[in-house]
Amino acid sequence: MQKHLEGIRVIDLTAWLAGPFVSLNLAAMGAEVIKIERPKAGDPCRWNPPFAGPQGVSHARKTDEDTSLLYLKRNRGKKGISLNLQSEWGKEIFRQLVKKGDVVIENFAPGTMDRLGFDYPRLKAINSRIIYCSIAGYGQNGPYRDRAAFDLTIQGMSGIMGVTGFPDGPPTRCGAWIGDMIPALYGVCGILAALASREKTGQGERIDISMQDSCFSLIMDEALDLHLSLGIPMRTGNRNPRLAPWNVYAAADGYLAICVASNEQWIAFLEAIGREDLKEDSRFKNQEGRFKHSDEVEIVVKEWLKGLTQEGALRTLRAKKVPCDAVPEIPEVLEDPQLKARGMMPELLHPQSGPTGLKTAGFPVHFSERPGGYSSPAPSIGQHNQEVYGGILGISDAEMEKMEGEGVI
């Protein structure tokens, strides 16, 4: 056994980002992920620019092999098959896969799997050990169940945008696609828990992930209802509604983050910047005082930073162990030696043409005994039909040829 989830077979019906990000992480931990796509059409994400292919990277497709960079990133380590789930023959093939599978993941609109005849009770009747995970914008029940959803709408409806931005500015989207990716990570947690439970009970599980639920869970670490009653702004920019100094500050040549979370760190900060005279200032004696007088604290920090370089300021603060770091722009992040040392910037590969010359993200969970990671590029449509249909289901070449002729695969 080389990876933790070896021997676990995942039947992946997902498209776009939330669902594929679930199976991407499972594949990195060794699961055999079989991605099902519509014959010829494939995952809609395939057709989103920019593209990579035999003639390089561009914003327009140059060859039939050209594939979206998004698709190539989100589907590494998976096997790809084509299957028409609208046809009766295709549905029967899917049932055969479920018999031999451990996990089914889908992110169709609620009700779609029921109409196809693949709701949990019917799949459970085929395989009582099956773990069935659904991800939808608002879950499988509730008044918003049938609403379409994307990252932006979910960041809005979950409250993420309500707490992101500056006090005098509009609600703002978080730059990363967390409206999709956070629910996906909850989906991974649910699947891993269900797999562990199945070892004891022998029974599968139904997992219902709401993208709104998942993102709402992130904002409630803060006591937002209390903040409302106290008149504290919901959006505070980079500042912390409880602590000061806690912000991103401009130096002469860049930005740095300073985070002072305790009285001891405040004393260290004052010593670092040469303002020991403020140690006994009653306004700043504790966290409550520094929060109440946070505007005055901001003035102290900004006055100290005048004329200082980013590196000079960081060196001074680190000498006193004040929590701080640079806030680099993306070109600097892409050259970060720490990320490179931990293998977080592998080259993105295309299934036919190989190296693209572009970076992607490595798997961020580092195991000591059974390392994770992506074993292969994202598949082309139907790339593993022979391996899956012939090798796993025992379908003959002649039957597969007939299936292809009838548009089943």
Side-chain angles (χ1 to χ4, degrees), residues 5-48:
L5 294 183
E6 279 186 15
I8 299 298
R9 180 172 291 146
V10 177
I11 314 302
D12 181 7
L13 293 169
T14 66
W16 298 108
L17 177 52
F21 196 60
V22 177
S23 53
L24 177 72
N25 282 281
L26 297 175
M29 292 184 280
E32 179 190 31
V33 175
I34 300 174
K35 182 178 177 66
I36 297 177
E37 298 182 80
R38 295 172 297 167
K40 298 182 180 178
D43 183 335
C45 184
R46 284 184 176 276
W47 317 115
N48 280 8

Side-chain angles (χ1 to χ4, degrees), residues 46 52-54 61-68 72 350-353:
R46 284 184 176 276
R61 296 185 77 228
K62 296 179 178 179
T63 72
D64 290 342
E65 289 79 25
D66 280 17
T67 305
S68 169
L72 294 176
H350 184 282
Q352 280 88 33
S353 54

Side-chain angles (χ1 to χ4, degrees), residues 244-264:
W246 188 292
N247 203 349
V248 172
Y249 301 94
D253 58 349
Y255 293 90
L256 64 152
I258 300 173
C259 304
V260 172
S262 68
N263 293 333
E264 292 77 12

Side-chain angles (χ1 to χ4, degrees), residues 39-40 82 84 89 385 397-409:
K40 298 182 180 178
S82 54
N84 181 1
W89 198 350
N385 281 358
D397 290 349
E399 194 171 7
M400 274 192 280
E401 188 174 339
K402 185 178 179 183
M403 289 164 63
E404 186 173 359
E406 295 189 18
V408 177
I409 64 173

